[in-house]
Amino acid sequence: MTLYSFFTRCCIIFFCTVTLAYANNASQNINNLASHSVWKQLLHTEQTAVTLNHNNSNFYLAENGFEDPLSELEATIRAFSQTPKRQCQFPARKRFIEKHIPSISFPDVACPKYQEYLNTFSTHSASLIFASGYLGNPASMFGHVFLKFNGESADGLLDNTFSYGAKVPDNENKLVYITKGILGGYQGKFSNQQYHHHHLTYSETELRDMWEYKLALSQHDIQFLLAHLWELENATMTYYFFEQNCAYQLAKLLSLVFDEPLIAPNKVWVMPFDLVVMMQRHQSSRPMFNEVIYHGSRQQTLYDRWQQLTDKEQQTLLQILKSEPEDTQAKLAALGGASAIRVIDTLYDYFAFIEQKEDDLTTIQQAQKRQAMIKRFAMAPVKPNWKSVDRRPPHEAQDTTRIGLGLYDTPSGDVAGELNFRANYYDLLTLNAGRIPYSELTTFNLRLRYLEGEGLAVKEFTPVRIINLNTSESGLPLDSNWAWKLAFGYREQANNCTHCGAGYIDSFIGKSWAFHHNLVGYAALSTSITSSNLNGGFIAVGSEVGGVAHVTSEIAMSLAVGQQWFVNQPSKDQHYLSITARYSINQRWDVRANIDNKHGTDFGLLISHYY
């Protein structure tokens, strides 16, 4: 063997060994990468499979890609190499693979549509927007979250947003809507709109407050989010109202860049509120947001400004609303310049609020508004010094799920133990930052009571209880809505009996009044329907009065007193009284004392944990 032949063979052996080692190393890298949490999230493997709305492409490149992340990764690498245009469809996958396996090199390819998309989303930061609940729509009761990509405009109205929601046919029956939404009867998708659409819907039309969480993301993180949202542009996933909803999808999306779990543990449901709470809990170890900005609804802006007016200014505004339009400027002229401007600005907010609430302004209101604007344009362009109102952000409220243990002194004189569980969301006494003031939205509330000699009994099971006192904070004309309640489920009919449960429906409609910013009272006509007539009838009607007082941030109280007569036996009636006091220990714990009188009196003490 010549020296040349020997050298050639050694080179071939060395080259094959290096190649084999490189191939083994690359194979090992691919195997490791396939189990990476971010790769699995890009494939949405923990939820229903992603489908695309057109037939010329597919979200999964391997036949079993949804179930096998390794096969999907291998198929993606092959596709990017053999069909370079595939890189344009999956830019987030490409970024991920190139970051973790830098030795892989894909062919260069131009993606003009994707580049146009990125140019549209020219952004310097991103925000998560939390919108408070809206009791006028079942899908909006628990609030909503969406992403906003912040551009250079001062007001942000032209910024682009991404929001996830169900694709619901127009004029869908609400009962059908609720049923299909819970059972997965709709497909959901991400939609892109400019921020002014959300501002009009939430702040102006539905009068919902919004909180903007400025996310602590780098430009690389933002581009990665945008890349995956591009991949989902034409994609749909099965929508589940209580689980795979807007909060779930955004939690999964943000986990791509934060690398922290953002879905609340130990729950089978996901609420928008849970997402902002989970972000707060990771703040100390991994900052997730830099600041929180409050965006008050049109109604709340009116209230804030009305309460900052002096007594004289408030009286002038009321006089203008009660007078003929031609008297408007004269009444404003009686005030000083700065004072008149404050009244005009508040009038403008009032008319904008009424225009949304009543669908339009009357001819007189339009003339009053026009006269006020004419006066304003004739004055110096001075901006009033309105004070910003400090409001607690949503993540400082109590968690949505509650479990409690209590002791009750029953009418028989015996002491009963009670287990109380509420799936979500909040009640009249909950620390409810970011939720509708003086309202309750309780779902799946269960009370199990044990009394020696009687055993275990279901004291109450209420799937849904909604109360909205609709309290006006201004007292201005037309700033008023009906107070109302709707609750249904199963409960014991009286406190002096055990195992005497019946199905029930409770409701009331009436009016409420704000006696102070933290004290509200109401009076209403009430009805109760039961499936048993233990106390005299199936249907009872009457009246109820009550109130809610937030004495301090830790102490709150509620009162409800009512009397009803049975429709089929008017000679028989029933009365009830409920007083509850809550002391908040912290965000996770509170203690409640309760007096409940309905055919016997219960005295109880309950300690609750929120999670």
Side-chain angles (χ1 to χ4, degrees):
M1 180 185 295
T2 65
L3 182 62
Y4 175 78
S5 298
F6 176 76
F7 179 76
T8 300
R9 289 185 179 183
C10 288
C11 288
I12 292 173
I13 292 171
F14 175 77
F15 177 77
C16 291
T17 302
V18 170
T19 302
L20 181 61
Y22 178 82
N24 288 335
N25 185 56
S27 177
Q28 184 62 41
N29 285 341
I30 290 174
N31 287 330
N32 292 339
L33 201 59
S35 61
H36 197 291
S37 61
V38 172
W39 177 251
K40 291 181 178 179
Q41 289 173 42
L42 287 173
L43 303 182
H44 298 260
T45 57
E46 295 180 1
Q47 54 187 290
T48 53
V50 179
T51 56
L52 295 182
N53 297 332
H54 48 81
N55 298 321
N56 61 356
S57 187
N58 201 327
F59 189 81
Y60 299 104
L61 303 180
E63 184 176 350
N64 59 339
F66 172 63
E67 298 174 343
D68 189 344
L70 177 59
S71 296
E72 184 64 19
L73 178 58
E74 293 171 340
T76 300
I77 293 172
R78 284 196 303 272
F80 285 0
S81 300
Q82 298 170 6
T83 313
K85 275 292 183 181
R86 283 290 201 181
Q87 299 174 40
C88 301
Q89 184 185 354
F90 299 108
R93 294 192 192 185
K94 180 182 178 182
R95 280 173 167 265
F96 176 79
I97 294 170
E98 290 179 337
K99 175 183 177 181
H100 292 277
I101 312 181
S103 59
I104 290 183
S105 178
F106 296 121
D108 292 334
V109 61
C111 303
K113 289 185 178 179
Y114 176 60
Q115 190 57 51
E116 182 182 352
Y117 160 82
L118 290 180
N119 293 339
T120 301
F121 277 81
S122 177
T123 179
H124 58 77
S125 64
S127 299
L128 175 78
I129 306 291
F130 174 91
S132 63
Y134 173 59
L135 297 180
N137 183 340
S140 304
M141 288 180 176
F142 297 96
H144 184 57
V145 285
F146 61 93
L147 285 179
K148 181 164 81 77
F149 293 90
N150 308 312
E152 301 299 331
S153 62
D155 55 18
L157 293 177
L158 297 180
D159 292 342
N160 284 285
T161 70
F162 269 103
S163 178
Y164 183 83
K167 297 173 62 179
V168 182
D170 293 336
N171 303 315
E172 184 80 292
N173 178 274
K174 284 193 175 183
L175 185 58
V176 173
Y177 173 53
I178 293 171
T179 304
K180 293 177 69 174
I182 293 174
L183 299 179
Y186 297 116
Q187 290 296 296
K189 73 182 300 291
F190 282 96
S191 58
N192 167 224
Q193 288 181 310
Q194 290 186 322
Y195 177 62
H196 65 82
H197 291 287
H198 295 293
H199 183 269
L200 176 63
T201 300
Y202 299 141
S203 292
E204 301 288 337
T205 304
E206 297 179 352
L207 304 176
R208 300 163 68 175
D209 292 335
M210 293 189 289
W211 281 262
E212 179 177 356
Y213 288 76
K214 285 288 189 73
L215 299 174
L217 296 176
S218 65
Q219 274 297 316
H220 180 273
D221 293 334
I222 293 172
Q223 294 304 310
F224 190 53
L225 287 180
L226 288 172
H228 188 50
L229 286 166
W230 168 264
E231 295 175 348
L232 297 173
E233 183 181 30
N234 296 304
T236 59
M237 293 161 276
T238 305
Y239 180 92
Y240 292 94
F241 182 75
F242 284 114
E243 185 182 2
Q244 294 181 26
N245 51 26
C246 64
Y248 178 92
Q249 297 297 348
L250 260 65
K252 289 294 186 182
L253 187 68
L254 292 177
S255 293
L256 291 173
V257 289
F258 285 129
D259 199 23
E260 295 282 0
L262 292 175
I263 293 177
N266 305 318
K267 289 186 178 182
V268 296
W269 48 84
V270 184
M271 295 288 107
F273 170 80
D274 294 330
L275 175 54
V276 297
V277 169
M278 289 298 293
M279 289 171 58
Q280 168 64 20
R281 291 188 181 147
H282 289 299
Q283 273 290 88
S284 58
S285 58
R286 195 320 187 178
M288 296 201 170
F289 55 90
N290 299 319
E291 63 175 322
V292 183
I293 303 170
Y294 170 70
H295 301 284
S297 68
R298 173 64 68 183
Q299 184 178 29
Q300 194 57 57
T301 300
L302 169 64
Y303 290 166
D304 290 345
R305 293 187 173 181
W306 167 258
Q307 290 163 4
Q308 292 181 46
L309 295 180
T310 65
D311 290 341
K312 183 178 179 180
E313 290 167 347
Q314 288 184 353
Q315 289 302 315
T316 300
L317 192 151
L318 287 170
Q319 290 170 10
I320 290 172
L321 295 178
K322 295 176 182 177
S323 302
E324 295 298 321
E326 53 266 24
D327 298 331
T328 300
Q329 293 194 41
K331 294 186 181 301
L332 289 169
L335 298 171
S339 187
I341 290 173
R342 287 161 56 86
V343 172
I344 293 170
D345 281 6
T346 309
L347 269 171
Y348 179 81
D349 289 323
Y350 171 76
F351 286 129
F353 165 60
I354 295 302
E355 189 170 13
Q356 289 294 336
K357 183 176 179 293
E358 304 293 326
D359 293 330
D360 202 356
L361 296 178
T362 66
T363 303
I364 292 177
Q365 289 170 340
Q366 291 174 352
Q368 289 170 335
K369 179 182 177 181
R370 184 166 53 251
Q371 290 298 317
M373 292 298 102
I374 291 172
K375 176 66 176 176
R376 182 66 178 91
F377 291 140
M379 302 173 73
V382 178
K383 187 176 182 180
N385 185 25
W386 296 109
K387 295 179 182 178
S388 60
V389 179
D390 185 24
R391 284 190 169 79
R392 298 179 68 173
H395 66 261
E396 293 185 6
Q398 286 174 307
D399 283 293
T400 56
T401 303
R402 182 182 76 196
I403 186 166
L405 293 174
L407 292 176
Y408 284 80
D409 183 17
T410 65
S412 65
D414 297 319
V415 176
E418 183 171 302
L419 172 67
N420 191 312
F421 175 79
R422 183 192 73 202
N424 49 59
Y425 189 31
Y426 62 96
D427 56 52
L428 288 172
L429 299 184
T430 300
L431 278 173
N432 63 341
R435 302 169 191 161
I436 303 169
Y438 301 107
S439 68
E440 175 172 345
L441 177 55
T442 293
T443 58
F444 301 106
N445 188 67
L446 174 66
R447 297 174 61 192
L448 296 177
R449 180 169 290 191
Y450 178 81
L451 184 63
E452 189 173 354
E454 298 288 346
L456 189 66
V458 177
K459 181 70 175 177
E460 177 190 348
F461 175 62
T462 298
V464 175
R465 179 165 56 245
I466 307 173
I467 301 173
N468 191 0
L469 298 185
N470 272 318
T471 305
S472 167
E473 296 182 25
S474 72
L476 289 165
L478 300 178
D479 180 21
S480 177
N481 278 313
W482 292 105
W484 58 275
K485 170 186 176 179
L486 176 64
F488 62 86
Y490 173 92
R491 70 183 175 200
E492 291 187 343
Q493 298 178 64
N495 290 330
N496 59 7
C497 67
T498 306
H499 302 292
C500 58
Y504 81 94
I505 300 174
D506 279 353
S507 64
F508 71 56
I509 186 165
K511 285 291 183 179
S512 65
W513 299 268
F515 300 107
H516 197 262
H517 72 277
N518 58 359
L519 176 61
V520 168
Y522 68 91
L525 298 176
S526 66
T527 62
S528 293
I529 302 173
T530 62
S531 62
S532 174
N533 63 353
L534 177 66
N535 298 311
F538 294 101
I539 301 174
V541 297
S543 61
E544 179 175 313
V545 296
V548 181
H550 289 275
V551 183
T552 68
S553 59
E554 292 81 21
I555 300 173
M557 301 179 67
S558 67
L559 166 70
V561 181
Q563 184 163 8
Q564 295 176 327
W565 289 265
F566 292 101
V567 173
N568 59 320
Q569 294 189 46
S571 61
K572 289 191 175 183
D573 66 347
Q574 64 177 0
H575 58 269
Y576 54 89
L577 165 70
S578 178
I579 302 174
T580 303
R582 180 267 295 161
Y583 176 75
S584 176
I585 300 171
N586 54 40
Q587 197 175 10
R588 294 289 192 97
W589 294 89
D590 71 20
V591 177
R592 299 188 182 210
N594 177 259
I595 300 174
D596 182 71
N597 178 279
K598 186 176 183 181
H599 303 286
T601 303
D602 265 354
F603 298 91
L605 190 65
L606 182 78
I607 183 166
S608 299
H609 174 62
Y610 296 79
Y611 66 95

